Amino acid sequence: MRASTAPVGAASAMLLVGTSTAVSATIADYPVFTGQAMRYALAAAILLAVVGHRRSPRVRLTARDVLLLIALAATGLAGFNVFLVEATRHAGPAMIAAVVGAVPLVLALVGPLTERRRPAPRTVGAAIVVALGTAVAAGLGSGSVKGFLLSLGALAGEVAFSLLAVPLLPRLGPLRVAAYPAALSVPMLLAAGLALDGTASLRLPTPGQAAAFGYLGAIVTAAAFFLWYDALRRLGADRAGLFAGLVPVGALLTTVALGLGRAGPADVTGALLVAVGVAVGLRQPRRGSSEPRKPRTGVHEPA
């Protein structure tokens, strides 16, 4: 992916992730953690097959790489799902969406700090607009203090999904960074399912559920993760993070397209705020220490 098309990749990734909301409604009766394990197992198989097909140069993992990959799988994938599922038992989906919708703001603040540069004021301001748009679209909702804290755990997992990948991308490339944590998260999710739901979590899906998991694994995970990580290494965590606000927009478009609901004034207003925030953030002037790192030319970058 060229640097000029990185915004398109980031937007596509988050819109695809947003479609998972409507698709997940068709598998609501299936054990959550087992389903997620199946989804990530399929995604890992696809991504690793692509790595092998492209015959990418072998990369020897360092101890630091392994620790980061395990941490990414435990927090950004398995941990995120555990917190999200538990949060739904103590809070409404609107409040959870509003809390997790703060991802662009957190990445705009923390992302530059991990790269030892100051957060760009324009990007931070744009992230606030994006987070506000997400909250408006979702509604502030209601829930208990425990539900709010669990939602914060899901937010932390979503942030870790990007920030822990940043130091891995230069050496491993987006394909491997997407594939390895997906594979590592499978036993974690199966263990969580057994711990929380017992042996009832182990059963075969129906044909319709299998089709839904196939879409989630191949499109929402394998394709979207690759697009996101490729855009992340080119745009930086702060600017790429703005596109996380498109997740509820993708959910809205899919819901309307499938005839599962209608777009109300709050939905439209929230979507417009997200669009404005992303547009403003991408106009960030590249000056001084706030300048995002440009892709190296003439140097091989792993796929």
Side-chain angles (χ1 to χ4, degrees):
M1 183 189 298
R2 297 178 181 177
S4 59
T5 61
V8 177
S12 300
M14 293 298 100
L15 288 172
L16 287 174
V17 170
T19 66
S20 65
T21 302
V23 176
S24 295
T26 66
I27 53 175
D29 296 333
Y30 192 81
V32 175
F33 298 112
T34 303
Q36 294 300 313
M38 293 172 57
R39 162 192 176 182
Y40 289 128
L42 174 60
I46 293 173
L47 290 165
L48 291 174
V50 174
V51 171
H53 177 73
R54 297 183 63 170
R55 297 181 180 178
S56 302
R58 290 182 177 273
V59 177
R60 177 173 296 181
L61 297 178
T62 65
R64 177 174 176 269
D65 293 336
V66 172
L67 290 176
L68 283 172
L69 289 168
I70 293 174
L72 176 54
T75 58
L77 279 71
F80 171 78
N81 282 282
V82 171
F83 276 113
L84 190 64
V85 170
E86 289 299 304
T88 60
R89 299 176 181 176
H90 303 278
M95 191 190 84
I96 297 171
V99 173
V100 178
V103 167
L105 178 58
V106 178
L107 289 179
L109 292 172
V110 181
L113 296 178
T114 62
E115 299 175 358
R116 297 181 179 180
R117 55 186 177 89
R118 295 179 180 178
R122 182 186 294 268
T123 305
V124 173
I128 293 174
V129 174
V130 171
L132 177 62
T134 303
V136 169
L140 295 180
S142 61
S144 64
V145 174
K146 186 175 182 179
F148 177 72
L149 294 176
L150 288 167
S151 298
L152 287 179
L155 170 62
E158 187 72 4
V159 171
F161 175 74
S162 293
L163 292 186
L164 290 176
V166 170
L168 291 166
L169 287 168
R171 287 192 69 248
L172 303 184
L175 276 174
R176 289 187 176 93
V177 173
Y180 294 166
L184 290 169
S185 70
V186 173
M188 298 178 186
L189 287 163
L190 290 176
L194 288 172
L196 296 174
D197 301 322
T199 55
S201 64
L202 303 176
R203 61 182 175 89
L204 292 175
T206 64
Q209 291 170 337
F213 287 127
Y215 175 80
L216 291 173
I219 305 301
V220 178
T221 305
F225 280 21
F226 167 73
L227 289 172
W228 176 250
Y229 282 143
D230 196 50
L232 183 65
R233 69 172 175 173
R234 300 180 188 279
L235 294 175
D238 50 350
R239 299 179 76 210
L242 296 172
F243 291 93
L246 293 176
V247 171
V249 178
L252 172 63
L253 293 175
T254 307
T255 299
V256 173
L258 295 179
L260 301 176
R262 295 185 300 175
D267 298 314
V268 176
T269 301
L272 290 175
L273 284 172
V274 168
V276 170
V278 171
V280 171
L282 290 180
R283 293 181 61 187
Q284 166 67 37
R286 300 183 178 183
R287 295 177 182 175
S289 60
S290 297
E291 182 178 359
R293 295 179 181 177
K294 298 179 180 179
R296 294 175 297 174
T297 58
V299 179
H300 174 74
E301 291 184 348

